[in-house]
Amino acid sequence: MEETLPATEAAHIPKQRGASLLETAVRYAEDRHWEVFPGTWLETVDGRQHCSCGDTLCDEPGAHPADADWATRATGSATVVRRMWQQRPNASILLPTGRTFDTVHVPETAGFLALARLERMELTLGPVTLTPARRMQFFVLPGAAAKVPGLLRHLGWSPATLNLETLGEGGYVAAPPTRYGSRGAVQWACRPTPANRWLPDAEELVPALAYACGRDR
Protein backbone atom coordinates (compact mmCIF):
# COMPACT_ATOMS: atom_id res chain seq x y z
CA MET A 1 0.00 0.00 0.00
CA GLU A 2 1.23 3.51 -0.76
CA GLU A 3 2.61 5.70 2.01
CA THR A 4 0.81 8.76 3.30
CA LEU A 5 2.41 12.05 2.32
CA PRO A 6 3.61 14.52 4.94
CA ALA A 7 1.49 17.67 4.92
CA THR A 8 4.10 19.95 3.41
CA GLU A 9 4.42 21.65 0.08
CA ALA A 10 7.84 20.06 -0.35
CA ALA A 11 6.53 16.54 0.28
CA HIS A 12 7.94 13.86 -1.97
CA ILE A 13 5.34 11.87 -3.89
CA PRO A 14 6.14 8.15 -3.53
CA LYS A 15 6.03 5.90 -6.56
CA GLN A 16 3.08 3.55 -6.91
CA ARG A 17 4.10 -0.03 -6.40
CA GLY A 18 2.78 -3.44 -5.37
CA ALA A 19 -0.66 -4.69 -6.34
CA SER A 20 -1.88 -5.09 -9.92
CA LEU A 21 -4.66 -2.94 -11.32
CA LEU A 22 -7.07 -5.86 -10.89
CA GLU A 23 -6.10 -6.38 -7.24
CA THR A 24 -6.27 -2.67 -6.53
CA ALA A 25 -9.71 -2.26 -8.14
CA VAL A 26 -11.01 -5.25 -6.16
CA ARG A 27 -9.58 -3.81 -2.95
CA TYR A 28 -11.38 -0.50 -3.52
CA ALA A 29 -14.67 -2.39 -3.89
CA GLU A 30 -14.10 -4.82 -1.02
CA ASP A 31 -12.35 -2.64 1.55
CA ARG A 32 -13.89 0.76 0.87
CA HIS A 33 -17.21 -0.28 -0.71
CA TRP A 34 -16.53 2.16 -3.53
CA GLU A 35 -18.11 1.58 -6.91
CA VAL A 36 -15.51 1.29 -9.66
CA PHE A 37 -15.47 0.90 -13.43
CA PRO A 38 -12.73 0.34 -16.03
CA GLY A 39 -11.49 3.21 -18.11
CA THR A 40 -9.20 3.46 -21.10
CA TRP A 41 -5.54 2.43 -20.98
CA LEU A 42 -2.25 3.27 -22.65
CA GLU A 43 -1.05 1.39 -25.71
CA THR A 44 2.43 1.63 -27.24
CA VAL A 45 2.45 2.15 -31.00
CA ASP A 46 5.75 2.71 -32.84
CA GLY A 47 7.45 3.43 -29.55
CA ARG A 48 4.91 6.04 -28.46
CA GLN A 49 2.09 5.74 -25.98
CA HIS A 50 -1.46 6.45 -27.11
CA CYS A 51 -4.84 6.24 -25.45
CA SER A 52 -6.77 3.06 -26.22
CA CYS A 53 -9.69 5.24 -27.40
CA GLY A 54 -7.74 5.82 -30.63
CA ASP A 55 -7.76 9.63 -30.42
CA THR A 56 -4.15 10.78 -30.82
CA LEU A 57 -5.14 14.17 -29.34
CA CYS A 58 -6.95 12.67 -26.33
CA ASP A 59 -7.12 15.13 -23.40
CA GLU A 60 -7.01 12.36 -20.77
CA PRO A 61 -4.94 9.59 -22.37
CA GLY A 62 -5.47 6.34 -20.52
CA ALA A 63 -7.69 7.89 -17.84
CA HIS A 64 -11.25 8.38 -19.06
CA PRO A 65 -14.31 6.12 -19.45
CA ALA A 66 -13.96 3.46 -22.12
CA ASP A 67 -17.71 2.96 -22.51
CA ALA A 68 -20.56 5.41 -22.98
CA ASP A 69 -22.63 3.55 -20.38
CA TRP A 70 -19.95 3.78 -17.70
CA ALA A 71 -22.38 5.18 -15.13
CA THR A 72 -24.50 2.01 -15.23
CA ARG A 73 -21.46 -0.29 -15.42
CA ALA A 74 -19.92 1.05 -12.21
CA THR A 75 -20.21 -1.58 -9.49
CA GLY A 76 -19.24 -2.32 -5.93
CA SER A 77 -19.30 -6.08 -6.47
CA ALA A 78 -15.80 -7.50 -6.10
CA THR A 79 -16.78 -10.47 -8.26
CA VAL A 80 -17.92 -8.23 -11.13
CA VAL A 81 -14.90 -5.96 -10.71
CA ARG A 82 -12.56 -8.92 -10.95
CA ARG A 83 -14.26 -10.08 -14.14
CA MET A 84 -14.04 -6.59 -15.66
CA TRP A 85 -10.28 -6.36 -15.14
CA GLN A 86 -9.69 -9.93 -16.24
CA GLN A 87 -11.21 -8.83 -19.57
CA ARG A 88 -9.27 -5.52 -19.60
CA PRO A 89 -6.19 -6.00 -17.37
CA ASN A 90 -4.62 -2.66 -18.33
CA ALA A 91 -7.75 -0.56 -17.82
CA SER A 92 -7.49 2.51 -15.63
CA ILE A 93 -9.44 2.54 -12.37
CA LEU A 94 -12.21 5.13 -12.31
CA LEU A 95 -14.57 5.95 -9.43
CA PRO A 96 -17.99 7.60 -9.94
CA THR A 97 -18.69 10.59 -7.71
CA GLY A 98 -22.05 11.42 -6.18
CA ARG A 99 -22.60 7.91 -4.81
CA THR A 100 -20.42 6.94 -1.86
CA PHE A 101 -18.49 10.21 -1.99
CA ASP A 102 -18.11 13.60 -3.68
CA THR A 103 -14.76 15.28 -4.20
CA VAL A 104 -13.50 18.82 -3.64
CA HIS A 105 -10.61 19.82 -5.95
CA VAL A 106 -8.01 22.52 -5.27
CA PRO A 107 -4.55 23.35 -6.66
CA GLU A 108 -1.68 21.30 -5.22
CA THR A 109 -0.09 24.22 -3.38
CA ALA A 110 -3.39 25.14 -1.73
CA GLY A 111 -4.03 21.49 -0.96
CA PHE A 112 -0.78 21.03 0.98
CA LEU A 113 -1.42 24.26 2.89
CA ALA A 114 -4.92 23.08 3.76
CA LEU A 115 -3.64 19.63 4.80
CA ALA A 116 -1.24 21.21 7.28
CA ARG A 117 -3.97 23.48 8.65
CA LEU A 118 -6.48 20.63 8.98
CA GLU A 119 -3.96 18.39 10.74
CA ARG A 120 -3.21 21.15 13.26
CA MET A 121 -6.97 21.28 13.90
CA GLU A 122 -6.83 17.49 14.45
CA LEU A 123 -9.62 16.86 11.95
CA THR A 124 -9.84 13.34 10.53
CA LEU A 125 -9.43 13.62 6.77
CA GLY A 126 -10.84 11.27 4.21
CA PRO A 127 -8.64 10.01 1.38
CA VAL A 128 -6.96 12.69 -0.75
CA THR A 129 -5.45 12.19 -4.20
CA LEU A 130 -2.87 14.22 -6.08
CA THR A 131 -3.24 14.22 -9.86
CA PRO A 132 -0.62 14.77 -12.58
CA ALA A 133 -2.42 18.05 -13.29
CA ARG A 134 -1.13 19.17 -9.84
CA ARG A 135 -4.54 19.24 -8.22
CA MET A 136 -5.64 17.65 -4.97
CA GLN A 137 -8.97 15.87 -4.65
CA PHE A 138 -10.47 15.62 -1.15
CA PHE A 139 -13.01 12.81 -0.67
CA VAL A 140 -16.06 13.96 1.31
CA LEU A 141 -19.61 12.82 1.97
CA PRO A 142 -22.03 12.91 -0.99
CA GLY A 143 -23.94 16.16 -1.42
CA ALA A 144 -20.90 18.43 -1.36
CA ALA A 145 -21.33 19.54 -4.96
CA ALA A 146 -24.67 21.15 -4.10
CA LYS A 147 -23.55 22.46 -0.69
CA VAL A 148 -20.12 24.01 -1.31
CA PRO A 149 -21.14 27.18 -3.24
CA GLY A 150 -23.42 28.21 -0.37
CA LEU A 151 -20.72 27.42 2.19
CA LEU A 152 -18.24 29.61 0.33
CA ARG A 153 -20.66 32.52 0.14
CA HIS A 154 -21.37 32.16 3.87
CA LEU A 155 -17.62 32.47 4.50
CA GLY A 156 -17.50 35.65 2.42
CA TRP A 157 -15.99 34.13 -0.72
CA SER A 158 -17.40 34.34 -4.22
CA PRO A 159 -17.24 30.80 -5.70
CA ALA A 160 -16.16 32.31 -9.02
CA THR A 161 -13.04 33.87 -7.48
CA LEU A 162 -11.57 30.69 -5.98
CA ASN A 163 -9.88 27.86 -7.83
CA LEU A 164 -12.02 25.35 -5.94
CA GLU A 165 -14.25 22.84 -7.70
CA THR A 166 -16.52 19.98 -6.68
CA LEU A 167 -17.58 16.78 -8.40
CA GLY A 168 -20.83 15.05 -7.54
CA GLU A 169 -23.45 13.01 -9.34
CA GLY A 170 -22.53 12.27 -12.95
CA GLY A 171 -18.81 12.81 -12.47
CA TYR A 172 -15.84 10.54 -11.88
CA VAL A 173 -12.26 10.62 -10.65
CA ALA A 174 -9.27 8.47 -11.55
CA ALA A 175 -7.94 6.40 -8.66
CA PRO A 176 -4.28 5.52 -7.98
CA PRO A 177 -2.30 4.11 -9.71
CA THR A 178 -4.04 5.28 -12.92
CA ARG A 179 -1.64 7.05 -15.32
CA TYR A 180 -2.40 10.10 -17.49
CA GLY A 181 -0.24 9.37 -20.52
CA SER A 182 3.30 10.67 -20.05
CA ARG A 183 2.18 13.13 -17.36
CA GLY A 184 2.43 10.58 -14.56
CA ALA A 185 0.17 8.69 -12.18
CA VAL A 186 -2.49 9.67 -9.71
CA GLN A 187 -1.04 9.37 -6.18
CA TRP A 188 -2.44 9.19 -2.66
CA ALA A 189 -1.67 12.31 -0.64
CA CYS A 190 -3.69 10.72 2.19
CA ARG A 191 -4.26 7.04 1.53
CA PRO A 192 -7.43 5.15 2.52
CA THR A 193 -7.07 3.65 6.00
CA PRO A 194 -9.45 2.18 8.58
CA ALA A 195 -9.18 5.50 10.44
CA ASN A 196 -10.71 7.50 7.58
CA ARG A 197 -13.36 5.02 6.48
CA TRP A 198 -16.01 7.52 7.60
CA LEU A 199 -15.70 10.54 5.35
CA PRO A 200 -15.88 14.13 6.60
CA ASP A 201 -18.64 16.49 5.58
CA ALA A 202 -17.56 19.20 3.16
CA GLU A 203 -18.57 21.75 5.81
CA GLU A 204 -15.64 20.58 7.97
CA LEU A 205 -13.03 21.11 5.24
CA VAL A 206 -14.27 24.05 3.18
CA PRO A 207 -13.09 26.84 5.54
CA ALA A 208 -9.49 25.58 5.41
CA LEU A 209 -9.65 24.84 1.68
CA ALA A 210 -11.14 28.25 0.87
CA TYR A 211 -8.53 30.03 3.01
CA ALA A 212 -5.73 28.08 1.27
CA CYS A 213 -7.12 28.82 -2.19
CA GLY A 214 -7.42 32.49 -1.29
CA ARG A 215 -3.75 32.52 -0.24
CA ASP A 216 -2.82 30.70 -3.46
CA ARG A 217 -4.37 33.27 -5.84
Side-chain angles (χ1 to χ4, degrees), residues 2 13-17 19-21 24 28 37-44 49-53 58-65 85 89-94 129-133 137 172-188:
E2 299 79 19
I13 307 300
K15 294 181 179 179
Q16 300 292 332
R17 57 187 181 274
S20 67
L21 288 166
T24 303
Y28 290 150
F37 66 97
T40 53
W41 57 92
L42 296 173
E43 297 178 333
T44 302
Q49 288 188 323
H50 298 278
C51 185
S52 62
C53 71
C58 182
D59 291 332
E60 298 179 304
H64 64 85
W85 265 267
N90 297 320
S92 55
I93 304 173
L94 305 181
T129 61
L130 178 61
T131 74
Q137 303 172 327
Y172 65 88
V173 294
T178 294
R179 295 190 64 84
Y180 279 72
S182 61
R183 286 178 283 175
V186 183
Q187 305 276 349
W188 286 118

Side-chain angles (χ1 to χ4, degrees), residues 1-214:
M1 198 67 175
E2 299 79 19
E3 299 174 358
T4 304
L5 295 179
T8 169
E9 292 183 25
H12 172 67
I13 307 300
K15 294 181 179 179
Q16 300 292 332
R17 57 187 181 274
S20 67
L21 288 166
L22 184 154
E23 293 168 331
T24 303
V26 168
R27 187 169 68 241
Y28 290 150
E30 283 187 334
D31 295 352
R32 300 300 294 200
H33 304 293
W34 290 339
E35 293 188 23
V36 301
F37 66 97
T40 53
W41 57 92
L42 296 173
E43 297 178 333
T44 302
V45 180
D46 296 330
R48 300 185 63 181
Q49 288 188 323
H50 298 278
C51 185
S52 62
C53 71
D55 183 356
T56 57
L57 300 177
C58 182
D59 291 332
E60 298 179 304
H64 64 85
D67 304 291
D69 61 345
W70 63 266
T72 58
R73 289 172 56 83
T75 178
S77 166
T79 301
V80 177
V81 170
R82 188 176 297 278
R83 185 164 59 244
M84 285 177 168
W85 265 267
Q86 285 173 340
Q87 295 170 350
R88 299 175 176 178
N90 297 320
S92 55
I93 304 173
L94 305 181
L95 312 173
T97 52
R99 301 187 185 185
T100 51
F101 61 84
D102 282 5
T103 53
V104 182
H105 301 203
V106 298
E108 174 188 316
T109 50
F112 278 121
L113 177 62
L115 280 177
R117 189 178 181 89
L118 291 165
E119 288 185 357
R120 287 196 299 271
M121 296 167 63
E122 298 185 348
L123 286 176
T124 300
L125 293 171
V128 182
T129 61
L130 178 61
T131 74
R134 304 183 72 83
R135 291 188 69 80
M136 277 193 178
Q137 303 172 327
F138 290 73
F139 287 45
V140 295
L141 289 173
K147 184 186 300 186
V148 165
L151 292 173
L152 292 175
R153 285 190 287 269
H154 180 73
L155 292 168
W157 294 98
S158 168
T161 65
L162 292 180
N163 192 356
L164 185 154
E165 303 170 346
T166 57
L167 272 180
E169 186 175 359
Y172 65 88
V173 294
T178 294
R179 295 190 64 84
Y180 279 72
S182 61
R183 286 178 283 175
V186 183
Q187 305 276 349
W188 286 118
C190 290
R191 66 181 178 87
T193 68
N196 63 19
R197 182 174 299 278
W198 304 106
L199 298 177
D201 191 286
E203 191 169 356
E204 300 176 71
L205 307 187
V206 162
L209 291 173
Y211 169 80
C213 286

